[in-house]
Amino acid sequence: MSESKFSKSLIIMLIGSAFILALSLGVRHGFGLYLVPMSHEFGWSHQVFSLAIAMQNLLWGAVQPFTGALADKYGSKKVVAVGGILYTLGLLLMAISSTSWLLDLSLGLIIGLALSATSFSVLLSAVGRAAPPSKRSMAMGIASAAGSFGQFIMLPTTLLLLQHIGWSAALVVSAILIALIIPLALTLNAPVYTPPNAIKNINNPELSFKQILTIAKNHKPFLWLALGFLVCGFQVVFLGIHLPGYLIDHGFDASTGTIFLALVGLFNIVGTYAAGWLGDKYSKPHLLMGLYGIRGIAIIAFLMLPLSIWTVYGFGIIMGLLWLSTVPLTNGIVANMFGVKYLTMLSGIVFFTHQVGSFFGGWLGGLNHDMTGNYNLIWGCSILLSLFGVIVHHFVNEEPIVHD
């Protein structure tokens, strides 16, 4: 296969991955819309729902390296199919969750495990292995953009379901949609890309699982990359879960926050595809520095300008362009550093720090609101973390230490 073209099997995998990510992430991004109706019905503080979301994100990240290792060993389609089953069961249990411990079990534990098998690390790594190196970032960008399209479609759909049939029935409908992931997992069959006339490099023998982990642990640019991904997790989960509530606090209705998140999803289609395209042409660490810097400037501008639907929607468009643009760039750097043999597992390690940030962005947002009635402290943390993201990626390079 020429590096300028995608194989038929890779195209089928891209389509399947697109639908899986659209469903998995589309439903997941709508969870913030359940915070207010569930909290009101059961008399919960914001921290109850926020803690379940925080647990979900932390568990998702903690098990991601192990889920990735299973996908590397047994194949992505088996792992994704199991994840689809867990996701469906988690949503059905969430639909009858009337206590905080049931919410933690369903939304936190079960769906957290499911997301580790049906989201970026597993699916983008499968795509990355099948794509030629010169087109790898673009292929990952195409698959990432699909998750954003799911967010754009599912958020207004979820709001309509909440308004017309209630939160419990809306979760049952979401479970039915998520069940489609199980048959879609069969599309993840593309073989690992092999360069034409490739021969075995006797000077680069195959490494064991333990050896590649040791190399990663001792490779400082990899550690800086992992640390930088924490910033992304903190910011996107804080905004995704708490911005609708922030807007309600300031007199807007629920539809304003939903439109904000839908705009994020729509423009993230452009942002992730553009990031993948640019990542094949320019330095990925430098692009990440620019993304985090612009995020910080956008947050400052949003807070300083008078709050109106136009500033909210403008902020949604800008953040959409920057939202998950970090994902194909970060995964592309990992692939360039280490090759693709252990890509899912190593991407999972980087993603764990993303989810540590997600845990604190989700939980501290609710805690700050319950204690002070506002989100001022977390807004300040988000701005400082943008600066931190710019600094740490200065120390990242994508020079290969293990070849494909």
Side-chain angles (χ1 to χ4, degrees):
M1 179 183 68
S2 169
E3 285 209 11
S4 63
K5 298 179 180 178
F6 290 158
S7 68
K8 181 179 179 180
S9 59
L10 176 55
I11 292 172
I12 292 172
M13 177 182 277
L14 277 173
I15 294 170
S17 298
F19 278 107
I20 293 168
L21 284 170
L23 288 166
S24 177
L25 298 180
V27 169
R28 181 250 175 182
H29 280 298
F31 286 147
L33 300 180
Y34 292 91
L35 186 154
V36 173
M38 291 187 73
S39 297
H40 282 177
E41 179 162 339
F42 299 115
W44 296 336
S45 68
H46 281 205
Q47 189 180 174
V48 172
F49 195 94
S50 297
L51 182 60
I53 287 289
M55 288 175 56
Q56 176 197 105
N57 283 286
L58 187 62
L59 184 67
W60 177 4
V63 302
Q64 189 71 79
F66 303 101
T67 308
L70 290 172
D72 287 335
K73 186 173 182 179
Y74 298 108
S76 298
K77 67 178 180 181
K78 294 179 181 178
V79 170
V80 171
V82 172
I85 294 170
L86 286 174
Y87 207 152
T88 303
L89 293 175
L91 288 168
L92 291 173
L93 182 58
M94 184 180 170
I96 59 171
S97 293
S98 57
T99 63
S100 60
W101 73 267
L102 273 176
L103 189 70
D104 290 341
L105 177 63
S106 58
L107 181 60
L109 175 63
I110 298 175
I111 295 178
L113 289 172
L115 284 167
S116 74
T118 59
S119 56
F120 286 123
S121 292
V122 171
L123 289 156
L124 293 194
S125 296
V127 169
R129 278 192 291 267
S134 66
K135 299 295 182 182
R136 187 175 289 149
S137 288
M138 180 182 290
M140 289 180 174
I142 292 170
S144 298
S148 303
F149 184 74
Q151 180 178 344
F152 172 66
I153 294 296
M154 286 303 300
L155 278 162
T157 302
T158 300
L159 181 62
L160 288 173
L161 291 172
L162 286 168
Q163 291 173 339
H164 289 92
I165 63 175
W167 63 267
S168 184
L171 286 167
V172 174
V173 173
S174 296
I176 294 169
L177 291 173
I178 285 295
L180 296 173
I181 288 175
I182 302 167
L184 284 168
L186 297 175
T187 64
L188 306 178
N189 265 329
V192 175
Y193 173 80
T194 303
N197 304 317
I199 60 173
K200 185 175 179 65
N201 183 357
I202 61 173
N203 295 318
N204 188 31
E206 184 173 334
L207 299 173
S208 70
F209 185 90
K210 184 177 180 180
Q211 286 172 321
I212 198 75
L213 265 182
T214 301
I215 292 172
K217 182 178 68 174
N218 295 324
H219 189 54
K220 289 184 178 179
F222 177 79
L223 299 180
W224 285 118
L225 180 69
L227 192 59
F229 217 19
L230 179 147
V231 179
C232 182
F234 186 99
Q235 292 175 334
V236 300
V237 170
F238 165 61
L239 291 174
I241 297 300
H242 294 289
L243 193 75
Y246 171 82
L247 294 174
I248 289 172
D249 288 346
H250 286 79
F252 295 90
D253 59 24
S255 64
T256 306
T258 304
I259 294 172
F260 166 84
L261 293 174
L263 285 170
V264 167
L266 178 62
F267 282 88
N268 195 35
I269 298 170
V270 178
T272 48
Y273 177 81
W277 181 78
L278 290 169
D280 285 330
K281 299 180 179 297
Y282 303 103
S283 164
K284 296 178 189 66
H286 289 169
L287 290 170
L288 286 169
M289 290 174 67
L291 283 172
Y292 285 114
I294 297 170
R295 270 194 196 180
I297 293 170
I299 293 171
I300 292 171
F302 175 67
L303 295 175
M304 291 184 66
L305 291 170
L307 193 60
S308 70
I309 58 170
W310 303 114
T311 57
V312 171
Y313 296 162
F315 185 52
I317 291 170
I318 294 170
M319 291 306 298
L321 294 171
L322 309 171
W323 194 251
L324 295 178
S325 303
T326 57
V327 174
L329 296 174
T330 300
N331 282 11
I333 291 172
V334 175
N336 286 351
M337 284 179 175
F338 298 101
V340 297
K341 182 172 178 59
Y342 295 105
L343 178 58
T344 319
M345 184 263 293
L346 290 168
S347 295
I349 293 172
V350 175
F351 187 72
F352 172 65
T353 60
H354 181 283
Q355 295 308 95
V356 171
S358 298
F359 173 86
F360 286 108
W363 175 54
L364 291 179
L367 182 63
N368 182 207
H369 187 275
D370 287 345
M371 293 179 65
T372 66
N374 60 57
Y375 293 102
N376 293 345
L377 180 61
I378 308 303
W379 282 119
C381 288
S382 295
I383 293 167
L384 291 175
L385 283 171
S386 287
L387 178 60
F388 178 74
V390 173
I391 293 170
V392 297
H393 284 94
H394 175 73
F395 301 102
V396 176
N397 65 66
E398 50 187 322
E399 296 177 4
I401 62 172
V402 178
H403 298 285
D404 290 352

